[in-house]
Amino acid sequence: MSGAFLHTSFDIAAWLAAGAAAYWVTRRDLRFPAQSFELPYVATLMFGAGVGAYLFGSANLWLSGQAGIARSVEGALAGGIAAIELYKWSAGIQLRTGARFALPLALGIAIGRFGCYLAGLADFTYGTPTSLPWSHDFGDGVLRHPVQLYESAAMGLFALFYVLAVLNRNAFAITNGFYLFLLYYGAQRFLWEFLKPYGALIGPLTLFHLLSLSILLYAAAMLATAPKARPLHERAVA
């Protein structure tokens, strides 16, 4: 099977898994804010995520000396966050509305990165050369870091943490789950970027290094200003 077909197959599997995760979390009677179900909210989220995905993905490609159009998971995250924050500001919504997305995002990325791995060199998500025993030849005879699998494993660990938090009724982890996810995602993605062949933007830092830091700092600020978690029989307000 071609790399493109495998990539698409895992993209579909990632969306299905994310949907199943969202359904599972909802069935746990956590009663997340209703705003994240409203059509304007969903439309704004999808628009911002789409613009961010292509904007940052393509910009990174060009900065790396390659032509074309590309998408980025991290770009989609950043675009979606920016769009929703602007929407909430314009609509006067002060409630935090991201809690339900923590597990779907982690699980979706964990599965989707397998598609990036199987897509090979054409996907431009592979790592830099290495002699480590788990290195992988993506088809050009060069052994490289399988950074897609590093990120997949990291996201899988977060998904496990979040599931255990839900099962143990951990109010803080559930209420602030989205920001915990962003903090964790930003930190691990920042590290993996040192193992990718992307063009530097400032010193040794790539565009995604800077984007990872921005996401990490945003999450840290939101966690630092988070309201005290309430008992889980009340409304989760992350």
Side-chain angles (χ1 to χ4, degrees), residues 103-159:
L103 182 60
L105 282 169
L107 194 58
I109 293 172
I111 294 173
R113 280 307 188 197
F114 274 97
C116 298
Y117 172 77
L118 294 172
L121 293 171
D123 195 60
F124 197 48
T125 55
Y126 50 82
T128 52
T130 181
S131 59
L132 290 172
W134 55 80
S135 59
H136 181 74
D137 178 359
F138 287 93
D140 61 351
V142 178
L143 295 175
R144 305 176 186 274
H145 284 284
V147 287
Q148 308 97 323
L149 300 187
Y150 298 171
E151 186 170 344
S152 182
M155 290 296 97
L157 286 174
F158 182 88

Side-chain angles (χ1 to χ4, degrees), residues 45 69 72 74 100 118 141 143 156 159 165 174 187 210 216 224 233:
L45 176 61
I69 302 296
S72 162
E74 186 167 37
R100 72 174 72 250
L118 294 172
L143 295 175
I174 295 170
L210 301 180
L216 195 158
H233 64 271

